[in-house]
Amino acid sequence: MCGESALALHELIDDIPAAVHIAVPRGTRCPTISYPLTVVAQYAAKTFDLGIERFEAAPGVTIPMYNAARSVVDAMRHRSRLGETLALSALGRYLRRSGRGRGGELHYIARELDDLAVVRPAVEAVLA
């Protein structure tokens, strides 16, 4: 799970996503899901597993989901598609909830995804 779905499950946004957002490694076949409405994102295979954790969707049923830091970095990376307001809101909520010490995790993930130039100024602006 990724995108708005992961942000909502981490309680970083108040919106209820209109679709379930899932990720697959680039170069693999995208699943065809008729219900519920699903948005499939393809991420580079090299960094696909970065920030994956398990979420218990039902008793005894876990699904892979990007952690809060990866979800925020992805929102900042894709802010033109998701909306800048949503991305900055998620970033602000993450930083307020996590404290200044967790900014390091955002920094690490942004650096690994080669998007530090996008995330660092936004973090500095939110913390100012």
Side-chain angles (χ1 to χ4, degrees):
M1 192 165 302
C2 67
E4 290 178 64
S5 296
L7 290 170
L9 286 172
H10 288 298
E11 299 180 355
L12 294 171
I13 60 172
D14 293 327
D15 301 358
I16 298 173
V20 175
H21 295 250
I22 62 172
V24 296
R26 191 171 292 127
T28 61
R29 187 180 76 73
C30 290
T32 303
I33 302 170
S34 58
Y35 184 82
L37 180 61
T38 306
V39 174
V40 179
Q42 293 186 343
Y43 290 161
K46 177 180 146 186
T47 57
F48 180 78
D49 291 330
L50 181 65
I52 293 273
E53 63 184 21
R54 305 297 296 182
F55 174 75
E56 188 170 7
V61 177
T62 62
I63 58 171
M65 177 175 77
Y66 285 122
N67 65 20
R70 170 71 188 255
S71 299
V72 168
V73 170
D74 284 343
M76 292 302 300
R77 295 170 64 212
H78 304 295
R79 66 194 180 284
S80 63
R81 186 170 14 107
L82 294 176
E84 190 151 352
T85 302
L86 182 133
L88 289 172
S89 175
L91 174 63
R93 192 175 284 186
Y94 175 85
L95 291 171
R96 282 190 302 278
R97 184 176 75 191
S98 303
R100 290 181 182 262
R102 295 282 301 270
E105 188 175 7
L106 282 175
H107 184 271
Y108 169 75
I109 289 175
R111 187 179 66 239
E112 291 297 309
L113 295 174
D114 200 26
D115 275 316
L116 196 54
V118 170
V119 175
R120 182 184 291 153
V123 169
E124 290 172 358
V126 169
L127 292 176

